């Protein structure tokens, strides 16, 4: 997400804009000229090193002059050499070579355009940088690989509905003294084994293994702008949605930001440790905007090209952060594709979460997924299928959630399920299905069937989307909370002000049971398994650690909550019925009980029948009661074994037998099997 939280509903944006032209001509008149720029897609962009020396190639078709500046240090001092570069009009690039391998040196480019020298820039392809990312660094990547890296591999994923995502920020996860972790707030935190809370509960990577998630989704870990890497003792916190160098890791997560190799090496060590634990690594990527408009590396390299504009030349701002990038222009499209390919190859990244994905066009996203699949078919790509403001890009070309069926191997977040279960994201007091507010039943059902067409779901009654926008459950990520907005705990505290935390924890269990039993891919926010909060702060993007860090003492205090999440995850992993792979399967094997929501609100009951998706259980009955009264449901004939009831769960179904009329307690889920 972005920093300003001005997200509009995707539906609003769809209805607000017209236009069907598939080329740049549909964009603003100001941007027309960029479509004619010659492009260059070679792997030697900006820096390459071979036995003959070090070679530089900057793409900047309209520059009048370009100078390469070589430095001995990553910060301060003058260049030890400045080299004028040579233009190649056929592809718009400028080149220079030095007949030595310049390992250990740094460089910048200086571009003159329209008679004006722009500020120095490390370019847009710096893969290693000095402190604060002002200069690109020349390092030997072969020397950054941890032992056994050539054999390192993330988990194999057969279907994306098998993935269970755990979204975390490096500092949230390890900064608290209760984490027992030595490398607090660093990539290396995830490499530490055997760490515990003061009460002796597992923390760090051991906690992830105990919980059972398949993938961690790390908040932005490329080099971002806001944290001063030369002054880490001040311990500044930021989510990192302010991209600076897209192809180098963030320095503040390394133990030494001034040594360009350290951040590369330590991030790889993190990936390796997670892979060794059987856990995949998904990176949050924010190609949709840059942190500094005119001062961004895009503008200092090739002015105007990489961002979109309105007719009058102003930056358009679909990100709500001051600008938006232009994925529909060839060089920018290739940039995004080559950048994720680079992370997948060099860092063995297993997935990408695209921030404000609808700022990008569907064609770019399709190419992203297709290219990544060639590298590793297990790579999972998903994103926010909305923008945070209007864009010159026509709505039918945007990678909106409503356009997800136009894309292949791309998933979108379901805000349908999210808001229907817990209440609206931007209205703290608003309640949802799991907290007793009637009228959300049909929208929850949309989430349960992963927004696919289902004979028993009436999309016209949906709160957000009004049609089955997904044609496969692999297109949907279900969740009730993420780093954005209130944590589930805080949302429940604000929307259930008179309740006890015990009652809220029951509601949290119900909410997550809906997520983890629904079709699609489940996604959770780190720490909610131990009922973490953020002291009621909804936009904590630069709040201190005292707000954002997870207090791991909560794990012992809320052990029951942790065990329930663990049980939910184990249940999902053991039972493919919850992980169907096609819309047809869901329509055939998932049958809702007929319940009149006017008369009996906040009650949903359905059966996963006939060994759905090859499940060993013939039938699974799932009943959700979000009201504050008990409800009774009549079971189909026969004896059923209880899997979950009244906030307890046993993935083996050992909680007793039931038949006939069964009672579901207030704010709870009942899961049965036979
Ligand atoms: Ca940085």
């Amino acid at each position: 997400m972005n920093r300003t939280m001005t997200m509009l509903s995707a539906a609003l944006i769809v209805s607000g804009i017209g236009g069907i032209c598939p080329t740049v001509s549909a964009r603003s008149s100001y941007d027309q000229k960029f479509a004619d720029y010659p492009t260059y897609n070679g792997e030697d962009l900006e820096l390459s090193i071979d036995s003959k020396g070090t070679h530089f190639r900057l793409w900047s078709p309209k520059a009048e002059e370009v100078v390469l500046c070589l430095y001995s240090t990553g910060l301060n001092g003058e260049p030890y050499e400045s080299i004028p570069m040579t233009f190649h009009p056929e592809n718009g690039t400028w080149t220079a070579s030095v007949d030595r391998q310049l390992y250990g040196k740094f460089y910048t480019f200086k571009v003159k355009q329209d008679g004006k020298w722009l500020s120095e820039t490390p370019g847009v392809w710096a893969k290693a940088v000095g402190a604060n990312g002002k200069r690109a660094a020349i390092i030997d990547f072969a020397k950054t690989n941890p032992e056994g890296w050539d054999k390192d591999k993330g988990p194999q994923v057969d279907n994306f509905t098998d993935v269970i995502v755990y979204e975390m920020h490096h500092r949230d996860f390890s900064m608290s003294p209760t984490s027992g972790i030595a490398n607090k707030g660093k990539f290396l935190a995830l490499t530490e084994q055997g760490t515990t809370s003061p009460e002796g509960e597992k923390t760090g990577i051991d906690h992830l293994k105990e919980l059972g998630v398949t993938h961690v989704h790390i908040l932005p870990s490329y080099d971002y702008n806001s944290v001063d890497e030369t002054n880490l003792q001040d311990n500044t916190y930021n989510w990192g949605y302010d991209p600076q160098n897209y192809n180098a890791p963030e320095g503040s997560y390394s133990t030494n930001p001034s040594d360009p190799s350290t951040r590369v090496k330590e991030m790889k060590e993190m990936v390796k440790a997670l892979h060794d634990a059987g856990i995949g690594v998904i990176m949050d990527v924010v190609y949709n905007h840059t942190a500094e408009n005119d001062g961004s590396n895009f503008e200092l390299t090739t002015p105007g090209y990489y961002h979109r504009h309105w007719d009058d030349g102003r930056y358009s701002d679909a990100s709500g952060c001051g600008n938006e990038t232009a994925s529909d222009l060839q060089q920018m499209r290739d940039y995004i594709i080559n950048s994720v390919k680079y992370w997948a190859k060099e860092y063995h990244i297993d997935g990408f979460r695209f921030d404000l994905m609808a700022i990008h066009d569907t064609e770019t996203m399709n190419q992203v997924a297709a290219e990544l699949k060639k590298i590793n078919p297990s790579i999972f790509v998903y994103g926010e299928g909305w923008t945070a403001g209007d864009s010159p890009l026509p709505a039918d070309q945007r990678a909106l959630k409503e356009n997800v069926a136009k894309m292949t191997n791309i998933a979108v977040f379901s805000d349908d399920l999210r808001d229907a279960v817990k209440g609206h994201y931007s209205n703290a007091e608003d309640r949802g299905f799991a907290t007793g507010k009637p009228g959300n039943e049909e929208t929850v059902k949309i989430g349960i069937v992963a927004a696919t067409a289902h004979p028993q779901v009436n999309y016209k009654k949906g709160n957000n989307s009004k049609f089955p926008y997904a044609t496969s459950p692999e297109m949907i990520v279900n969740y009730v909370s993420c780093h954005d907005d209130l944590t589930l705990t805080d949302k429940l505290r604000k929307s259930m002000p008179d309740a006890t935390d015990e009652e809220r924890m029951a509601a949290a269990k119900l909410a997550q049971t809906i997520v983890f039993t629904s079709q699609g891919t489940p996604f959770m926010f780190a720490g909610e398994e131990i009922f973490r909060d953020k002291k009621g702060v909804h936009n904590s993007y630069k709040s201190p650690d005292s707000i954002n860090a997870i207090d791991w003492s909560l794990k012992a205090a809320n052990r029951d909550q942790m065990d329930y999440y663990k049980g939910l995850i184990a249940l999902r992993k053991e039972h493919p019925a919850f992980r169907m792979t096609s819309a047809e399967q869901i329509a055939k094997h998932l049958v809702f009980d007929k319940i009149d929501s006017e008369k009996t609100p906040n009650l949903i009951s359905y059966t996963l029948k006939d060994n759905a998706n090859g499940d060993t259980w013939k039938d699974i009955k799932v009943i959700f009661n979000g009201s504050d009264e008990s409800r009774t449901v009549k079971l189909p004939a026969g004896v059923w074994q209880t899997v979950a009831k009244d906030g307890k769960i046993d993935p083996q179904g050992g909680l007793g037998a039931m038949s006939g009329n069964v009672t579901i307690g207030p704010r709870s889920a009942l899961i049965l099997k036979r």
Side-chain angles (χ1 to χ4, degrees):
M1 195 50 223
N2 63 93
R3 290 170 289 158
T4 53
M5 300 303 308
T6 53
M7 184 172 74
L8 301 178
S9 101
L12 254 178
I13 293 164
V14 166
S15 58
I17 321 277
I20 45 160
C21 303
T23 67
V24 71
S25 62
R27 291 244 315 268
S28 70
S29 56
Y30 183 90
D31 285 342
Q32 298 295 322
K33 56 183 173 288
F34 301 119
D36 304 330
Y37 277 30
T39 60
Y40 184 82
N41 195 21
E43 282 196 6
D44 62 338
L45 269 171
E46 299 193 8
L47 176 69
S48 61
I49 302 161
D50 60 22
S51 56
K52 295 195 188 79
T54 308
H55 316 287
F56 302 87
R57 181 189 291 273
L58 184 76
W59 184 75
S60 186
K62 301 293 164 182
E64 287 138 19
E65 287 179 71
V66 180
V67 173
L68 168 72
C69 306
L70 296 171
Y71 292 89
S72 301
T73 56
L75 275 176
N76 307 321
E78 295 301 310
Y80 70 82
E81 198 176 349
S82 296
I83 306 171
M85 300 180 81
T86 306
F87 188 50
H88 306 272
E90 70 281 7
N91 57 29
T93 66
W94 297 77
T95 59
S97 279
V98 175
D99 62 2
R100 297 179 306 284
Q101 294 182 331
L102 296 178
Y103 291 126
K105 304 296 187 198
F106 298 81
Y107 65 90
T108 61
F109 302 103
K110 235 162 52 176
V111 171
K112 185 184 178 191
Q113 188 160 315
D114 301 326
K116 198 174 88 185
W117 283 102
L118 304 174
S119 302
E120 282 175 60
T121 170
V124 299
W125 263 106
K127 293 170 181 164
V129 290
N132 284 338
K134 298 298 178 200
R135 293 176 190 163
I138 304 171
I139 65 168
D140 186 351
F141 276 84
K143 290 186 179 153
T144 63
N145 294 341
E147 219 184 301
W149 188 245
D150 56 329
K151 294 198 174 59
D152 173 75
K153 219 173 174 314
Q156 186 186 317
V157 177
D158 297 325
N159 300 295
F160 295 126
T161 49
D162 298 343
V163 171
I164 297 170
V165 184
Y166 185 86
E167 185 201 42
M168 55 159 281
H169 185 281
H170 297 292
R171 290 179 77 98
D172 288 29
F173 197 65
S174 57
M175 279 310 285
S176 167
T178 59
S179 73
I181 288 170
N183 290 287
K184 292 184 174 59
K186 306 293 180 189
F187 293 127
L188 291 182
L190 282 160
T191 68
E192 294 183 34
Q193 317 277 337
T195 59
T196 57
S197 71
E199 298 78 17
E201 293 280 1
K202 288 174 182 162
T203 61
I205 195 167
D206 291 349
H207 171 78
L208 297 175
K209 284 196 266 185
E210 183 189 352
L211 185 59
V213 294
T214 67
H215 287 66
V216 295
H217 152 166
I218 49 174
L219 258 66
S221 296
Y222 52 73
D223 180 35
Y224 59 78
N225 188 52
S226 48
V227 172
D228 182 358
E229 298 176 6
T230 64
N231 185 25
L232 292 182
Q233 61 274 21
D234 270 7
N235 269 335
T236 327
Y237 180 101
N238 204 284
W239 279 346
Y241 292 91
D242 51 339
Q244 185 174 344
N245 291 293
Y246 286 99
N247 300 299
E250 162 61 14
S252 66
Y253 297 144
S254 78
T255 58
N256 184 5
S258 302
D259 173 17
S261 294
T262 303
R263 60 179 81 187
V264 176
K265 196 166 176 290
E266 292 179 348
M267 188 166 174
K268 287 179 175 178
E269 283 171 10
M270 175 198 76
V271 172
K272 174 86 170 45
L274 285 161
H275 284 176
D276 287 347
I279 298 170
V281 182
I282 297 168
M283 241 177 78
D284 195 336
V285 288
V286 190
Y287 298 105
N288 68 75
H289 74 274
T290 56
E292 292 199 285
N293 291 12
D294 292 352
S296 66
N297 292 325
F298 282 145
E299 288 302 310
L300 297 177
T301 302
T302 312
Y305 184 88
Y306 292 104
H307 290 108
R308 292 191 188 122
H309 307 81
W310 297 115
D311 287 342
D312 60 6
R314 278 179 303 128
Y315 288 110
S316 53
D317 185 19
S319 71
C321 294
N323 61 70
E324 67 183 277
T325 56
S327 62
D328 49 331
L329 289 183
Q330 193 63 47
Q331 193 74 17
M332 183 63 200
R333 174 176 291 164
D334 290 341
Y335 181 77
I336 294 172
I337 294 166
N338 291 332
S339 181
V340 290
K341 281 170 72 177
Y342 172 70
W343 285 103
K345 284 182 181 165
E346 185 68 34
Y347 291 86
H348 304 178
I349 296 296
D350 306 285
F352 297 91
R353 175 267 190 197
F354 275 75
D355 187 65
L356 298 177
M357 186 169 73
I359 291 177
H360 308 314
D361 61 298
T362 51
E363 176 57 25
T364 296
M365 292 313 302
N366 275 329
Q367 290 189 26
V368 161
E371 288 298 315
L372 288 172
K373 205 169 181 63
K374 288 182 202 162
I375 297 168
N376 175 5
S378 294
I379 290 177
F380 182 34
V381 182
Y382 55 99
E384 293 182 308
W386 46 73
T387 68
D390 195 7
S391 168
L393 185 73
D396 67 317
Q397 292 174 41
R398 297 181 196 167
L400 288 164
K401 70 170 192 162
E402 283 84 354
N403 289 335
V404 71
K406 293 182 187 170
M407 298 185 275
T408 304
N409 289 319
I410 302 279
V412 291
F413 286 102
S414 166
D415 57 351
D416 307 86
L417 188 92
R418 181 195 69 196
D419 294 350
V421 167
K422 69 168 183 184
H424 198 263
Y425 73 92
S426 69
N427 176 359
E429 288 77 33
D430 188 41
R431 292 194 187 192
F433 174 87
T435 43
K437 186 180 172 186
N440 294 296
E441 296 82 4
E442 209 66 20
T443 313
V444 173
K445 285 160 77 177
I446 291 174
I448 290 170
V449 301
T452 58
H454 189 283
Q456 294 174 288
V457 178
N458 181 359
Y459 278 81
K460 291 200 174 61
K461 286 195 198 163
N463 295 345
N464 295 12
S465 293
K466 304 288 184 191
F467 71 102
Y469 55 90
T471 50
S472 158
E474 294 193 273
M475 295 180 176
I476 294 296
V477 175
N478 274 320
Y479 70 128
V480 283
S481 53
C482 65
H483 69 278
D484 271 329
D485 309 321
L486 295 172
T487 62
L488 185 56
T489 304
D490 286 328
K491 173 73 176 169
L492 294 170
R493 287 191 178 140
K494 295 215 179 198
S495 61
M496 301 171 73
D498 303 324
T500 62
D501 262 356
E502 201 169 85
E503 290 166 321
R504 294 180 189 121
M505 278 194 252
K509 285 177 180 174
L510 171 60
Q512 295 287 17
T513 308
I514 298 172
V515 170
F516 280 92
T517 53
S518 286
Q519 304 300 318
T521 302
F523 170 107
M524 65 176 290
F525 182 47
E528 290 190 326
E529 68 280 19
I530 58 170
F531 211 59
R532 67 85 63 103
D533 62 27
K534 287 196 295 191
K535 298 192 166 75
V537 178
H538 73 101
N539 189 11
S540 65
Y541 78 95
K542 60 173 186 180
S543 299
D545 295 319
S546 57
I547 299 292
N548 281 306
I550 298 170
D551 172 7
W552 289 98
S553 284
L554 290 171
K555 187 169 174 183
N558 299 325
R559 184 67 228 189
D560 171 66
Q561 198 77 359
M562 170 71 189
D563 285 338
Y564 191 83
Y565 275 71
K566 239 174 97 172
L568 269 180
I569 290 168
L571 174 69
R572 186 176 177 92
K573 283 164 108 173
E574 283 167 29
H575 290 282
F578 301 111
R579 302 182 267 117
M580 286 189 256
T581 58
S582 76
E584 294 71 28
Q585 264 184 324
I586 296 171
K588 192 173 159 202
H589 291 278
L590 194 158
V591 181
F592 290 99
D593 291 338
K594 289 191 177 59
I595 293 168
D596 183 347
S597 328
E598 301 286 326
K599 287 193 190 128
T600 320
N602 299 83
L603 183 68
I604 291 174
S605 173
Y606 68 89
T607 307
L608 298 164
K609 62 167 190 155
D610 299 337
N611 306 92
N613 199 22
D615 209 290
T616 52
W617 290 347
K618 182 166 185 300
D619 297 318
I620 304 173
K621 189 94 198 149
V622 183
I623 311 172
F624 304 130
N625 177 13
S627 77
D628 47 18
E629 301 161 9
S630 291
R631 300 273 193 230
T632 302
V633 170
K634 189 174 179 348
L635 294 178
V639 178
W640 296 75
Q641 303 300 322
T642 310
V643 177
K645 184 180 190 291
D646 296 332
K648 299 284 170 216
I649 188 165
D650 174 8
Q652 310 309 321
L655 297 179
M658 284 193 178
S659 57
N661 285 326
V662 292
T663 303
I664 306 102
R667 278 199 198 113
S668 74
L670 179 62
I671 303 175
L672 306 159
K673 62 103 171 172
R674 66 174 179 186

